Amino acid sequence: MELAATIRNYSKAKGGPCRVYPAPFAVKLKEGRKTIVEPDISVICDWDKLTDRGCSGAPDWIIEIVSPSNSGHDYIKKLDLYADAGVREYWIVNPGREQIIVYLLEEEKFELNHYTFQDKIKAGIYEDLWVDFAELDL
């Protein structure tokens, strides 16, 4: 919740269009496909994607918090789904390892960076949002 609040507070302070939705929040990644996911945190900047059932289309930024019981799901299956759907940025936060993996997936570019809970991480979809994991109560 701290991470979602940090992003929400930033977006509200900047008066930006992006909205933050914590789970449970249904996301239908692509039209014509039945696959529906419930990311831990979804950031959606295009309000036309919002429906009374959740989000229809790829969120701009998705954050998953790793659960020990299904970590491969976040690292492999969801990464493939999100990249294919056009999610611009995907963070995997692993509290057990105190590590964050950041994937920037926009414009035919695929960039991967590793961080720890001691790092300050720049959010790719925003000009000046830095998330300081050392300050979060995770």
Side-chain angles (χ1 to χ4, degrees):
M1 292 310 290
E2 290 227 5
L3 185 52
T6 298
I7 301 164
R8 181 188 56 82
N9 291 344
Y10 169 86
S11 189
K12 283 181 85 172
K14 294 290 183 174
C18 301
R19 294 198 177 169
V20 181
Y21 296 91
F25 181 75
V27 175
K28 184 175 183 180
L29 291 169
K30 279 187 153 183
E31 279 302 318
R33 290 201 181 161
K34 294 181 181 180
T35 305
I36 295 177
V37 294
E38 284 195 355
D40 292 314
I41 301 172
S42 301
V43 179
I44 300 157
C45 302
D46 179 356
W47 294 3
D48 289 337
K49 293 180 180 180
L50 297 172
T51 70
D52 59 340
R53 295 179 178 221
C55 177
S56 183
D60 295 274
W61 182 10
I62 289 178
I63 300 170
E64 294 285 4
I65 312 300
V66 173
S67 158
S69 63
N70 68 347
S71 62
H73 198 64
D74 294 325
Y75 288 103
I76 299 166
K77 186 174 181 180
K78 286 186 178 179
L79 172 61
D80 287 341
L81 283 173
Y82 297 158
D84 183 56
V87 173
R88 293 170 48 198
E89 186 165 356
Y90 176 41
W91 289 20
I92 302 173
V93 178
N94 188 325
R97 293 185 181 171
E98 293 191 359
Q99 109 184 137
I100 305 98
I101 298 176
V102 174
Y103 295 92
L104 299 176
L105 307 169
E106 56 188 329
E107 296 179 24
E108 306 292 324
K109 179 171 103 178
F110 188 93
E111 187 178 317
L112 165 68
N113 292 293
H114 292 266
Y115 301 94
T116 72
F117 277 23
Q118 303 309 308
D119 291 321
K120 221 174 164 177
I121 304 172
K122 165 98 173 50
I125 69 165
Y126 292 112
E127 295 244 346
D128 60 351
L129 171 60
W130 290 83
V131 178
D132 188 346
F133 274 79
E135 291 184 358
L136 297 178
D137 184 20
L138 298 177

